[in-house]
Amino acid sequence: MSASTSKAAVYNRVPRVTAAFWLIKLMAVTMGETAADYLNLQMGLGLTATSLIMSAILAVALIWQFAQKKYVPASYWLSVLLISIVGTLITDNLVDNFHVPLLDTTIVFSIALALTFLLWFQAERTLSIHSIFTGRREAFYWLTILFTFALGTAAGDLVAEKFALGYLATGVLFGMIIISLSVGYFFLGLDAILGFWLVYILTRPLGASFGDLMSQPAQYGGLGLGTIITSAIFLAAIVVIVIFMSVRHEGEELAAIDEDDKLAKASRSQRLTVAEEEL
């Protein structure tokens, strides 16, 4: 016997995971660290004022991002860059203004991230980034991203400063962990969703460590390039790649959903094609 089921394809609102995705993400988190330091220290805005200003700008960027019905490189990566800065500032506020130890901050954000994953899974029954086609799923996605940046900042600072490994050793350490997870995914059957989110978290301290290595003065173990030059280098690279992706439509991804039970969650404008499949 054959039965007919109707499926639809909708655009995913976040990019397909490719080498370019990880490259931009790593540069974005690196710049997030150096840009936060520049705004806070070099411009003399102070931690509180910088946090309020950047949070307001992030809110505007997210409004733009949520207005998109598919992955748009400019709005998406602007949101990632800004949320990287804000995540760094949240951790810095807890440590510097409220004197919360780095170990406690790391634990707090680990718990917050775990609870976000739990609520996301209970609401949507999936944590996959390949099916972000509704507003609720995208809200969970960006909240998760915020906590990964805050957690990554706390964990990176904990290892580099509290455990006194230094920026280079900390970067190498997190890089080796990421490589081991990649080996687990490609050769040992590591779950794709678990592997993705672990690597996403760990690229934050990896990027921040190398950002500090490039920007900090030599007496603090850095190369002394400064936050302006370091931020400008990575910002220019990000802009070039994002323009290239926009022109080539790189990173766009379609997500198939069942007509009967899930299409109701997508608006009519999201329905791209409907095809009958013989089972």
Side-chain angles (χ1 to χ4, degrees):
M1 293 181 62
S2 66
S4 179
T5 61
S6 184
K7 289 191 174 182
V10 299
Y11 274 119
N12 201 20
R13 299 185 188 180
V14 302
R16 183 164 46 90
V17 179
T18 62
F21 171 90
W22 289 117
L23 179 61
I24 300 179
K25 198 271 182 180
L26 185 59
M27 291 191 294
V29 299
T30 304
M31 185 186 166
E33 178 73 16
T34 57
D37 290 342
Y38 170 72
L39 294 170
N40 179 28
L41 302 175
Q42 302 299 322
M43 290 194 66
L45 295 178
L47 193 55
T48 301
T50 301
S51 302
L52 292 174
I53 293 171
M54 296 311 300
S55 296
I57 297 174
L58 172 61
V60 174
L62 286 176
I63 291 173
W64 182 26
Q65 167 61 26
F66 272 83
Q68 311 305 317
K69 298 307 178 185
K70 68 175 184 177
Y71 164 62
V72 177
S75 62
Y76 177 86
W77 289 111
L78 176 62
S79 298
V80 169
L81 179 58
L82 290 171
I83 210 167
S84 174
I85 296 174
V86 171
T88 299
L89 292 170
I90 290 174
T91 298
D92 289 345
N93 270 285
L94 288 175
V95 174
D96 296 338
N97 285 346
F98 296 96
H99 309 292
V100 179
L102 281 170
L103 179 60
D104 294 350
T105 306
T106 302
I107 294 173
V108 167
F109 284 124
S110 297
I111 295 173
L113 183 59
L115 289 175
T116 302
F117 279 133
L118 178 61
L119 292 174
W120 183 356
F121 186 79
Q122 286 183 336
E124 301 293 340
R125 310 311 299 175
T126 180
L127 299 177
S128 173
I129 64 164
H130 301 293
S131 58
I132 309 296
F133 55 82
T134 68
R136 185 168 70 175
R137 290 188 180 187
E138 189 173 6
F140 277 119
Y141 175 84
W142 287 110
L143 182 61
T144 300
I145 298 302
L146 176 63
F147 285 138
T148 63
F149 284 137
L151 172 59
T153 300
D157 290 347
L158 177 66
V159 174
E161 299 173 10
K162 188 69 175 179
F163 297 160
L165 287 187
Y167 302 126
L168 179 59
T170 300
V172 171
L173 172 62
F174 283 108
M176 291 176 63
I177 296 173
I178 290 172
I179 291 173
S180 67
L181 289 170
S182 300
V183 171
Y185 170 70
F186 286 109
F187 301 105
L188 302 177
L190 176 66
D191 180 76
I193 296 177
L194 175 62
F196 171 84
W197 285 115
L198 287 176
V199 172
Y200 202 99
I201 294 169
L202 293 171
T203 49
R204 179 64 182 91
L206 173 66
S209 297
F210 284 109
D212 285 334
L213 176 66
M214 294 175 64
S215 64
Q216 294 300 314
Q219 60 264 36
Y220 297 123
L223 299 178
L225 294 180
T227 55
I228 297 178
I229 294 177
T230 303
S231 299
I233 291 172
F234 287 106
L235 178 59
I238 292 170
V239 170
V240 170
I241 298 176
V242 168
I243 291 175
F244 174 80
M245 295 178 72
S246 299
V247 172
R248 295 285 302 273
H249 299 282
E250 294 283 341
E252 291 183 1
E253 184 178 45
L254 292 174
I257 53 177
D258 293 335
E259 177 78 16
D260 294 336
D261 57 355
K262 292 183 179 179
L263 193 56
K265 296 181 180 179
S267 67
R268 181 174 297 275
S269 63
Q270 290 175 295
R271 305 180 190 187
L272 302 180
T273 60
V274 178
E276 295 295 321
E277 295 184 355
E278 294 295 322
L279 300 181

